[in-house]
Amino acid sequence: MALMQELYSTPASRLDSFVAQWLQPHREWKEEVLDAVRTVEEFLRQEHFQGKHGLDQDVRVLKVIKVGSFGNGTILRSTREVELVAFLSCFHSFQEAAKHHQDVLRLIWKTMQQSHDLLDLGLEDLRVEQRVPDALVLTIQTRGTAEPITVTIVPAYRALGPSLPNSQPPLEVYVSLIEACGGPGNFSPSFSELQRNFVKHRPTKLKSLLRLVKHWYQQAHHPGSGRPHPQCGRRVQMGHRRSEGLPVPETGLLL
């Protein structure tokens, strides 16, 4: 709790310095993490997955984007997790995305196990994790320091198409979303570009504020032994509980 006490004793005029000294990651470390994650992104973009069970025979990734704190520029120095959303060619509607979500996860999982580039990065602990929606999770290592990095991949329907950063989605997208009748959060990855851009292009001052809020939340609110925190979503409730005194993982937060 040392950092927490230091935050409470820091006057408002020095909060920018506090963020730079304690919360903002070093550029060299961030580049090393992103270099390892770039290998995962290249694998997804270049691989042609052979579809089955009603999928297109040639399943391709149309686009991969980083979401969460790495995507919007509010990463904390302690974070070792990167989240990716992969928009797939085989999804032509929200209904298809829901119907074939599990098939696609297994398809990517099977192909990823045979990737020499990922194996060279120490690929391990490759699994499908129950979330909303379910995701493919793996661990790789950075090239220089061999630091473990957890990468989460969520396949999604590219509902917005190749839209411009500040353009408004057509109303038809929301009509089809309502007609799909999905559960809360099931189709959220389809709108991840909007969520990312909402923060990514905001001033540095706002991003510093978000870092401070996340740091405070992680230090002050933790689930405790055997007691999942109600605001951390299904990830904690599905068995990823934390010991007393340990911070909540950043992927439990929205920003």
Side-chain angles (χ1 to χ4, degrees), residues 20 28 41 43 45-46 53 67 77-78 90 101 110 117 120 134 142 152 154 161-162 168-169 179 181 190 194 203 208:
E28 296 78 7
E41 294 179 282
F43 163 82
R45 292 191 188 99
Q46 296 174 6
H53 308 293
V67 297
R77 186 175 298 180
S78 59
C90 61
H101 187 82
K110 181 179 179 179
D117 290 337
D120 287 343
D134 291 352
T142 57
T152 301
V154 181
Q168 294 295 322
E179 292 176 346
C181 299
S190 292
L194 289 179
S208 295

Side-chain angles (χ1 to χ4, degrees), residues 34-175:
L34 292 179
D35 177 65
V37 174
R38 201 171 294 121
T39 302
V40 180
E41 294 179 282
E42 291 175 356
F43 163 82
L44 292 171
R45 292 191 188 99
Q46 296 174 6
E47 188 68 38
H48 285 208
F49 306 97
Q50 296 302 311
K52 295 180 180 179
H53 308 293
L55 294 171
D56 294 345
Q57 288 301 309
D58 187 20
V59 178
R60 294 179 297 106
V61 174
L62 301 174
K63 187 176 184 179
V64 183
I65 64 170
K66 283 180 285 291
V67 297
S69 57
F70 261 101
N72 61 34
T74 61
I75 185 71
L76 289 178
R77 186 175 298 180
S78 59
T79 301
R80 301 294 185 271
E81 302 176 347
V82 182
E83 300 167 274
L84 303 176
V85 171
F87 297 107
L88 300 184
S89 64
C90 61
F91 293 158
H92 306 292
S93 66
F94 290 112
Q95 289 88 342
E96 285 190 359
K99 180 179 179 180
H100 298 299
H101 187 82
Q102 293 294 332
D103 293 331
V104 166
L105 286 175
R106 286 191 291 267
L107 190 62
I108 299 176
W109 173 81
K110 181 179 179 179
T111 310
M112 189 168 277
Q113 287 181 310
Q114 305 169 6
S115 170
H116 295 294
D117 290 337
L118 296 180
L119 291 173
D120 287 343
L121 286 176
L123 173 66
E124 62 180 6
D125 200 19
L126 179 61
R127 66 194 185 276
V128 173
E129 192 170 278
Q130 291 180 303
R131 300 185 178 193
V132 181
D134 291 352
L136 189 65
V137 181
L138 61 137
T139 301
I140 55 176
Q141 297 178 352
T142 57
R143 300 181 193 276
T145 60
E147 185 174 1
I149 303 296
T150 300
V151 181
T152 301
I153 303 170
V154 181
Y157 163 49
R158 197 180 186 186
L160 304 179
S163 57
L164 298 175
N166 296 318
S167 62
Q168 294 295 322
L171 295 179
E172 292 79 4
V173 172
Y174 297 105
V175 173

